[in-house]
């Protein structure tokens, strides 16, 4: 627990203190977010020239905090040291965050350079998401753990990802094999990155919602660590239910660090925002959230946990289908947050109310996770 707390604190401080510096640097570079002024959105007023690409700050803060968390692990008693060395799990999770963020950075850079909101074309962004998902999906499924205990016996041979579909845990009846699992991982990465990206449109909306989801994954992963199948002190009692995952403490540490980094960034990103996360931050957070779902074996729980992202994504899908089939729009504008803007809601009201919806989804998902554990314990 100490390592997770250290990572959260370091990430928060680095993000809180580094964001003002990033604001100055991006402002001098004239890296302002191109704003379309012909949409009739009140939230767009006064935002022209606000620096973008702020996601760089909390992505770097998460990586720095991960290193700090590992330094804290070395101070634990030997009996508690399970994951002092960096793992494949960290490579996959941080890799998904960094490289998904890199795709977003290219998009942001092109927007700034062209002084146009177009950025990277849809095919380019789609190709980048597929490439990142496929690369880290393969790593997640083809590199099992080789953790050994004091006697030299192997205690954990799990991979980061699973060849079985999962809800609260792996569902044995839904074994799909490695190739299909890589495809599922790609789909989850695409869904999560686009979901967070579509939610990002009002000051603090995507950042705050992501904090809740990441904090939930930190709790889930730490609970799995305390009831881990690779922990001989816990599995000594055959009646104890355990989680067959890989490196849950790593997952908790990274999720906590990312949540702390986002809170630090939110200080400057809340209305009126002094900096935007841009696609850099949105795609980075989406990639990490997808990795969290995969590594904690909660892929099918993600739509509940990230319920706000699903609702906003579906509003876009419904709008497109309706317009293309009937020529009529269901919403005044999509994504959904802009519909309520045109309906007269203030930006702050929309953000807070949508945060409540995000919190409800997180609460339901955590309730399902914990109730499954209670049922498993009999």
């Amino acid at each position: 627990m100490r390592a997770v707390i250290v990572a959260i604190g370091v990430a928060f401080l680095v993000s809180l203190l580094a964001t003002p510096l990033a604001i100055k640097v991006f402002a001098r570079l004239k890296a302002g977010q191109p704003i379309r002024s012909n949409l009739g959105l009140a939230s767009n007023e006064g935002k022209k020239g606000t620096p973008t690409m702020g996601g760089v700050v909390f992505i770097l803060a998460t990586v720095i905090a991960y290193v700090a968390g590992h330094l804290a692990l070395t101070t634990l008693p030997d009996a508690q040291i399970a994951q002092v060395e960096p793992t494949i799990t960290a490579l996959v999770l941080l890799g998904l965050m960094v490289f998904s963020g890199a795709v977003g950075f290219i998009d942001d850079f092109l927007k700034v350079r062209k002084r146009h909101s177009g950025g990277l074309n849809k095919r380019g962004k789609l190709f980048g998401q597929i490439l990142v998902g496929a690369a880290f999906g393969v790593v997640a499924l083809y590199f099992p753990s080789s953790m050994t205990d004091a006697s030299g016996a192997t205690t954990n041979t799990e991979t980061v990802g699973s060849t079985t579909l999962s809800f609260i845990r792996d569902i044995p009846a839904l074994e799909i094999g490695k190739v299909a699992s890589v495809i599922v991982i790609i789909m989850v990465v695409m869904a999560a990155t686009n979901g967070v990206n579509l939610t990002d449109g009002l000051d603090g909306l995507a950042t705050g919602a992501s904090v809740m989801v990441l904090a939930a994954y930190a709790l889930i992963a730490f609970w799995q660590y305390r009831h881990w199948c690779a922990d001989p002190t816990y599995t000594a009692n055959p009646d104890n239910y355990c989680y067959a995952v890989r490196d849950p403490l790593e997952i908790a540490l990274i999720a906590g660090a990312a949540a702390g980094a986002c809170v630090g960034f939110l200080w400057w990103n809340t209305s009126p925002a002094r900096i935007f996360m841009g696609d850099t931050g949105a795609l980075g957070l989406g990639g990490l959230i997808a990795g969290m779902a995969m590594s904690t074996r909660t892929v099918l729980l993600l739509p509940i946990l990230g319920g706000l992202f699903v609702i906003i994504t579906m509003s876009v899908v419904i709008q497109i289908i309706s317009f293309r089939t009937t020529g009529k729009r269901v919403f005044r504008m999509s994504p959904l947050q802009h519909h309520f803007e045109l309906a007269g809601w203030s930006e702050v009201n929309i953000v807070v109310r949508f945060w409540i919806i995000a919190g409800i989804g997180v609460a339901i998902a955590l309730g399902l996770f914990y109730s499954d554990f209670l049922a498993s314990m009999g």
Side-chain angles (χ1 to χ4, degrees), residues 55-129:
V56 170
V57 177
F58 58 72
I59 290 174
L60 289 176
T62 301
V63 175
I64 292 170
Y66 170 75
V67 175
H70 265 268
L71 292 176
L73 276 177
T74 62
T75 67
L76 295 174
D78 290 343
Q80 298 182 42
I81 295 177
Q83 298 163 302
V84 173
E85 298 297 328
T87 63
I88 291 292
T89 301
L91 172 66
V92 170
L93 294 179
L94 294 176
L96 281 169
M97 187 182 199
V98 171
F99 285 94
S100 293
V103 175
F105 183 86
I106 295 171
D107 187 39
D108 287 333
F109 177 79
L110 291 176
K111 289 177 183 177
V112 170
R113 184 177 181 182
K114 296 176 181 179
R115 296 288 187 261
H116 188 271
S117 60
L120 189 64
N121 62 50
K122 292 180 180 180
R123 289 185 179 180
K125 189 179 291 186
L126 181 65
F127 175 76
Q129 292 169 329

Side-chain angles (χ1 to χ4, degrees), residues 188-337:
V188 174
V189 169
M190 291 174 61
T193 52
N194 287 310
V196 178
N197 198 23
L198 290 171
T199 303
D200 183 35
L202 300 181
D203 294 348
L205 177 56
T207 309
S210 296
V211 168
M212 297 182 204
V213 174
L214 290 166
Y217 272 123
L219 291 173
I220 288 172
F222 192 76
W223 185 263
Q224 291 176 333
Y225 174 64
R226 296 302 297 253
H227 306 87
W228 191 21
C229 293
D231 182 357
T233 61
Y234 179 74
T235 53
N237 183 348
D239 294 329
N240 285 343
Y241 173 76
C242 65
Y243 293 94
V245 296
R246 176 172 178 175
D247 308 321
L249 185 58
E250 288 278 84
I251 303 169
L253 194 154
I254 293 171
C262 285
V263 172
F265 180 76
L266 185 60
W267 182 275
W268 307 101
N269 181 237
T270 192
S271 184
R274 292 185 57 188
I275 188 170
F276 301 138
M277 70 165 69
D279 281 19
T280 304
L283 298 192
L285 287 175
L288 178 60
I289 289 171
M292 291 289 161
M294 170 186 63
S295 58
T296 57
R297 310 291 205 266
T298 56
V299 169
L300 298 180
L301 186 66
L302 178 57
I304 301 174
L305 193 60
L308 178 65
F309 302 138
V310 173
I311 291 170
I312 288 177
T313 301
M314 289 307 301
S315 73
V316 175
V317 173
I318 291 170
Q319 186 87 322
I320 292 173
I321 293 175
S322 176
F323 187 75
R324 289 184 177 178
T325 55
T326 68
K328 297 180 179 180
R329 292 180 172 86
V330 176
F331 307 104
R332 289 181 171 92
M333 183 182 290
S334 65
L336 188 61
Q337 61 268 32

